[in-house]
Amino acid sequence: MKTSTFNNQFASANSVLIWVVSMLLGYHIYQEIYHPEKSDLFICVILVALTSVMVQKYGTITDGKKKI
Protein backbone atom coordinates (compact mmCIF):
# COMPACT_ATOMS: atom_id res chain seq x y z
CA MET A 1 0.00 0.00 0.00
CA LYS A 2 1.34 3.38 -0.97
CA THR A 3 1.62 6.09 1.69
CA SER A 4 1.44 9.79 1.02
CA THR A 5 4.63 11.83 1.04
CA PHE A 6 3.00 14.63 2.98
CA ASN A 7 3.21 13.21 6.51
CA ASN A 8 2.74 16.37 8.52
CA GLN A 9 -0.43 18.20 7.50
CA PHE A 10 0.06 20.84 10.19
CA ALA A 11 3.47 22.03 8.97
CA SER A 12 2.20 24.74 6.63
CA ALA A 13 -0.39 25.92 9.17
CA ASN A 14 2.36 26.14 11.81
CA SER A 15 4.55 28.19 9.46
CA VAL A 16 1.73 30.67 8.87
CA LEU A 17 0.98 30.79 12.60
CA ILE A 18 4.63 31.50 13.42
CA TRP A 19 4.72 34.28 10.82
CA VAL A 20 1.56 35.96 12.13
CA VAL A 21 2.63 35.71 15.78
CA SER A 22 6.09 37.10 14.96
CA MET A 23 4.51 40.04 13.17
CA LEU A 24 2.14 40.73 16.08
CA LEU A 25 4.94 40.43 18.64
CA GLY A 26 7.09 42.90 16.73
CA TYR A 27 4.22 45.36 16.50
CA HIS A 28 3.44 45.11 20.20
CA ILE A 29 7.09 45.54 21.18
CA TYR A 30 7.11 48.70 19.03
CA GLN A 31 3.93 49.90 20.78
CA GLU A 32 5.47 49.16 24.19
CA ILE A 33 8.52 51.29 23.37
CA TYR A 34 6.84 54.29 21.70
CA HIS A 35 3.21 54.22 22.92
CA PRO A 36 3.02 52.26 26.20
CA GLU A 37 -0.60 53.20 26.78
CA LYS A 38 -1.67 51.34 23.59
CA SER A 39 0.37 48.19 24.19
CA ASP A 40 -1.12 44.71 24.73
CA LEU A 41 2.20 42.95 25.19
CA PHE A 42 0.89 40.53 27.83
CA ILE A 43 -1.76 39.15 25.45
CA CYS A 44 0.88 38.76 22.75
CA VAL A 45 3.18 36.85 25.12
CA ILE A 46 0.32 34.42 25.82
CA LEU A 47 -0.13 34.00 22.05
CA VAL A 48 3.60 33.25 21.69
CA ALA A 49 3.36 30.60 24.41
CA LEU A 50 0.36 28.95 22.72
CA THR A 51 2.19 28.97 19.39
CA SER A 52 5.20 27.34 21.02
CA VAL A 53 3.00 24.57 22.39
CA MET A 54 1.36 24.01 18.99
CA VAL A 55 4.72 23.79 17.19
CA GLN A 56 6.13 21.37 19.77
CA LYS A 57 3.02 19.20 19.57
CA TYR A 58 2.59 19.09 15.78
CA GLY A 59 6.07 20.01 14.51
CA THR A 60 7.12 21.87 11.38
CA ILE A 61 9.08 19.23 9.45
CA THR A 62 7.31 18.27 6.23
CA ASP A 63 9.64 15.63 4.76
CA GLY A 64 8.83 12.98 7.35
CA LYS A 65 12.41 12.69 8.59
CA LYS A 66 12.71 14.12 12.07
CA LYS A 67 16.13 15.28 13.21
CA ILE A 68 17.16 13.81 16.54
Side-chain angles (χ1 to χ4, degrees), residues 17-37:
L17 183 63
I18 290 169
W19 183 79
V20 169
V21 169
S22 298
M23 186 176 64
L24 286 173
L25 182 63
Y27 174 74
H28 285 291
I29 289 173
Y30 164 79
Q31 287 288 21
E32 184 67 34
I33 293 170
Y34 292 106
H35 307 288
E37 66 277 356

Side-chain angles (χ1 to χ4, degrees), residues 1 4 6 8 12 14 16 22 24 26 29-30 33 35-36 40 43-48 51-52 55 58-60:
M1 182 172 220
S4 80
F6 189 35
N8 192 349
S12 60
N14 280 342
V16 171
S22 298
L24 286 173
I29 289 173
Y30 164 79
I33 293 170
H35 307 288
D40 290 330
I43 295 171
C44 197
V45 168
I46 292 172
L47 186 59
V48 168
T51 302
S52 174
V55 169
Y58 295 111
T60 57

